[in-house]
Amino acid sequence: MTTLSNADIMRLYCKELDAHGYDGPASDAEVTQTAMDYATENKSDIDDAARGLELQAQRLGVTTNELVAAVTTLCAYTCCRIGEAMWQLERVLKVVHHVQGGRR
């Protein structure tokens, strides 16, 4: 069995929500907009929000642009907030890796 990367798992998960969504990383403009939205959501500084996105991406082993593409897809199709979308993605990754590890 092939072990999927976190980016692959996020892409496949989002494809279940929208067959045409998350074809690749978000643009830098989309990352900036998401950081602004995240700052508003958390009532924080945009620099702190951008750093939060970067840190979450590092934790998940993906690029910030890949994370933003997945997060914005989840937000659009599940009507959740950015923080909740990041939490959902982390849970999906943990479950998939647990299942993959159990099959080895």
Side-chain angles (χ1 to χ4, degrees), residues 10 12 45 50 71-72 76 87-88 96:
M10 290 189 314
L12 290 169
D45 181 81
V71 163
T72 55
W87 178 82
Q88 287 181 31
V96 171

Side-chain angles (χ1 to χ4, degrees), residues 15-37:
K15 290 287 184 193
E16 289 298 312
L17 298 171
D18 175 17
H20 304 292
Y22 188 25
D23 290 320
S27 69
D28 290 342
E30 290 169 318
V31 171
T32 300
Q33 182 62 53
T34 302
M36 288 189 292
D37 294 344

Side-chain angles (χ1 to χ4, degrees), residues 8-70:
D8 291 335
I9 295 166
M10 290 189 314
R11 189 175 297 110
L12 290 169
Y13 179 61
C14 290
K15 290 287 184 193
E16 289 298 312
L17 298 171
D18 175 17
H20 304 292
Y22 188 25
D23 290 320
S27 69
D28 290 342
E30 290 169 318
V31 171
T32 300
Q33 182 62 53
T34 302
M36 288 189 292
D37 294 344
Y38 194 38
T40 301
E41 179 180 302
N42 290 321
K43 297 179 177 112
S44 65
D45 181 81
I46 188 169
D47 293 330
D48 291 340
R51 184 68 181 139
L53 290 172
E54 289 172 8
L55 289 172
Q56 180 69 358
Q58 286 175 7
R59 254 184 74 218
L60 298 178
V62 297
T63 67
T64 303
N65 296 59
E66 288 170 330
L67 175 66
V68 166

